[in-house]
Amino acid sequence: MVAEKKLLPPRTVERFFLYSRFLKAKLEMGAENVFSHELSLAVGISPEQVRQDLRLLNISGTPQRGYQIAPFLADLRGCLSMEVPVNAVLAGVGNLGRALLRHFSEARPNLRIVAAFDSDPDKYGREYAGCPVYPAARMDEIIAMEKPLAGIIAVPPAGAQQLADDMAESGIKGILNFAPVVIKPPKGIYLEQVDVLMALEKTAFFARNMF
Amino acid sequence: MVAEKKLLPPRTVERFFLYSRFLKAKLEMGAENVFSHELSLAVGISPEQVRQDLRLLNISGTPQRGYQIAPFLADLRGCLSMEVPVNAVLAGVGNLGRALLRHFSEARPNLRIVAAFDSDPDKYGREYAGCPVYPAARMDEIIAMEKPLAGIIAVPPAGAQQLADDMAESGIKGILNFAPVVIKPPKGIYLEQVDVLMALEKTAFFARNMF
């Protein structure tokens, strides 16, 4: 098993999460073993890459039976710290922000969004998917109190950079930005950007032009 | 100007969309000219890459005044076919699907989602952000009638691959998949995947392990 503190590259982490999803589903269907070619097919990764990852994880199997799923999954989940609860906050409780609150709370109970922030007073004191909404001005204070590790940005583009800088200043270590603007990662902060509008624009562009 | 039918690589298309967003915002603030280093800073791309893109677009400027925004933006929008309306459909009217309907209809009036599909009869005949919901079983028929170019998938992971194959079969040319599962692109189809849960998992992982 890879030591938890040895930093894995983002692409590797991504593949490990994909493996863990697939193994979990297979285990739930009653399977006990898995072959590397199944992982390769399910996750869309070359068999060589899968075998290289298995060596990195120190997972061993046999050509006849493949790999045992339960210990493999336990190793992956340990390596990915998936059993450790993480607290997060979210800024921007618009359509997308509300959907993310509901989506995340259903899908990942271990990743708890403890507070949301918005500049619309009508939303203060309301709860979405069990998460209370506070005035944006109270973000520093509430982050200091709740000590969340991750911050999710779902505000309009103009305010995103400032918000990321404020979150970093308050002690957030990882930022997930949904605002359709490229923001610069604050120093020492992991930044992940998901540009939903860009994804739609690209899909529309290639749908129209490719064929 | 790049001919519309000459296929640009996805990364280039992405940069062009980022330039066009920035130029639009700058134009709205009253600016008339832009320098390549501003584009580089705003979009997070190296100055060399920006200049290479400008040569590709055949945009010329002067060191003193930079580039004129209005014709530059017009060229980009032409090159990206941004003035041409595109119709799309969406499958899966859950939390995320509904949020996407509202988000997209506000942000991109040129990209119209003409129909949504769900397997929950309670949703049939309802409208979200002006988009009617139909039974999933009517997808083929409605795609044949409306001839949308793009399909958006927001269903649970188990059904995503079949849905993508069905959309391709019905004539959809580009698919944007939000289901948290890796799907194989149907033959001749452009596929874009946005894995929101993966983005959150990665952010949480690096927030916890990086520092």
Side-chain angles (χ1 to χ4, degrees):
Chain A
M1 190 183 141
V2 180
E4 206 176 310
K5 285 296 160 191
K6 183 180 159 190
L7 192 64
L8 298 165
R11 287 284 167 204
T12 308
V13 170
E14 209 166 290
R15 290 195 306 275
F16 284 9
F17 275 116
L18 293 175
Y19 298 150
S20 80
R21 274 186 197 167
F22 176 69
L23 294 179
K24 183 165 177 277
K26 234 179 127 62
L27 200 63
E28 283 167 2
M29 290 189 302
E32 289 180 9
N33 295 290
V34 68
F35 291 96
S36 57
H37 70 263
E38 289 177 84
L39 281 164
S40 159
L41 267 175
V43 173
I45 289 166
S46 76
E48 292 69 37
Q49 182 68 72
V50 172
R51 281 190 292 267
Q52 192 182 313
D53 287 341
L54 293 172
R55 279 193 301 272
L56 182 67
L57 280 159
N58 231 341
I59 301 282
S60 56
T62 65
Q64 292 77 31
R65 296 181 161 215
Y67 304 88
Q68 275 191 287
I69 295 176
F72 184 177
L73 183 57
D75 272 8
L76 277 172
R77 292 183 66 89
C79 179
L80 296 171
S81 322
M82 286 180 82
E83 314 293 351
V84 191
V86 175
N87 287 349
V89 292
L90 178 140
V93 191
N95 289 324
L96 191 62
R98 287 199 298 276
L100 292 172
L101 283 173
R102 296 200 188 93
H103 193 56
F104 288 153
S105 68
E106 281 167 21
R108 288 296 177 273
N110 255 352
L111 282 160
R112 208 163 69 88
I113 304 182
V114 293
F117 305 98
D118 203 281
S119 53
D120 175 4
D122 285 351
K123 290 176 185 156
Y124 302 163
R126 294 181 69 166
E127 285 199 1
Y128 296 97
C131 173
V133 181
Y134 300 98
R138 291 189 59 198
M139 194 174 79
D140 272 17
E141 168 206 339
I142 287 161
I143 290 180
M145 199 165 63
E146 299 273 2
K147 301 202 180 359
L149 275 174
I152 302 162
I153 296 179
V155 300
Q161 182 70 56
Q162 186 59 54
L163 194 57
D165 295 340
D166 291 348
M167 283 181 169
E169 187 83 12
S170 306
I172 293 280
K173 295 297 180 196
I175 290 175
L176 174 52
N177 175 41
F178 286 93
V181 63
V182 178
I183 64 178
K184 289 148 204 75
K187 199 162 180 286
I189 301 299
Y190 178 81
L191 173 68
E192 181 83 24
Q193 315 225 39
V194 176
D195 195 331
V196 167
L197 276 181
M198 172 66 76
L200 181 65
E201 303 273 25
K202 278 171 71 185
T203 305
F205 175 83
F206 284 107
R208 187 165 33 208
N209 285 286
M210 215 160 178
F211 310 97
Chain B
M1 189 182 143
V2 180
E4 206 177 312
K5 286 294 163 192
K6 183 180 161 189
L7 194 63
L8 297 166
R11 287 283 166 204
T12 308
V13 170
E14 211 166 286
R15 291 196 305 275
F16 284 9
F17 275 116
L18 292 175
Y19 297 151
S20 81
R21 276 186 196 166
F22 176 68
L23 294 179
K24 184 165 175 279
K26 233 178 127 62
L27 200 63
E28 283 167 2
M29 290 188 302
E32 288 181 9
N33 295 290
V34 67
F35 291 97
S36 58
H37 69 263
E38 289 177 83
L39 281 164
S40 160
L41 267 175
V43 172
I45 290 165
S46 75
E48 293 69 37
Q49 182 68 72
V50 172
R51 282 190 291 267
Q52 192 181 313
D53 287 341
L54 292 172
R55 279 194 300 272
L56 183 66
L57 280 158
N58 232 339
I59 301 284
S60 56
T62 67
Q64 293 76 31
R65 299 181 158 213
Y67 304 89
Q68 275 192 286
I69 296 175
F72 185 178
L73 183 58
D75 271 8
L76 277 171
R77 292 182 66 88
C79 180
L80 296 170
S81 324
M82 286 181 82
E83 314 294 350
V84 191
V86 175
N87 286 350
V89 293
L90 177 141
V93 191
N95 289 323
L96 191 62
R98 287 197 299 275
L100 292 171
L101 283 173
R102 295 201 188 93
H103 193 55
F104 289 154
S105 68
E106 281 168 21
R108 289 296 177 272
N110 254 351
L111 280 160
R112 207 163 69 89
I113 304 182
V114 294
F117 305 98
D118 203 280
S119 53
D120 175 2
D122 285 350
K123 291 176 185 156
Y124 303 163
R126 293 181 69 166
E127 285 200 0
Y128 296 97
C131 173
V133 180
Y134 300 98
R138 291 188 59 197
M139 195 175 78
D140 272 17
E141 169 207 337
I142 286 160
I143 290 180
M145 199 166 64
E146 298 274 2
K147 302 201 179 2
L149 274 174
I152 302 162
I153 296 180
V155 300
Q161 181 71 55
Q162 185 60 53
L163 194 57
D165 294 341
D166 291 349
M167 282 181 168
E169 187 82 14
S170 306
I172 293 280
K173 294 298 180 197
I175 291 174
L176 174 52
N177 175 40
F178 286 94
V181 63
V182 178
I183 63 178
K184 290 149 203 75
K187 199 162 179 285
I189 300 300
Y190 178 80
L191 173 68
E192 182 82 24
Q193 316 225 39
V194 176
D195 195 331
V196 167
L197 277 181
M198 172 66 76
L200 181 65
E201 304 273 25
K202 279 171 72 185
T203 305
F205 175 83
F206 285 107
R208 187 164 34 207
N209 285 286
M210 217 159 177
F211 309 96

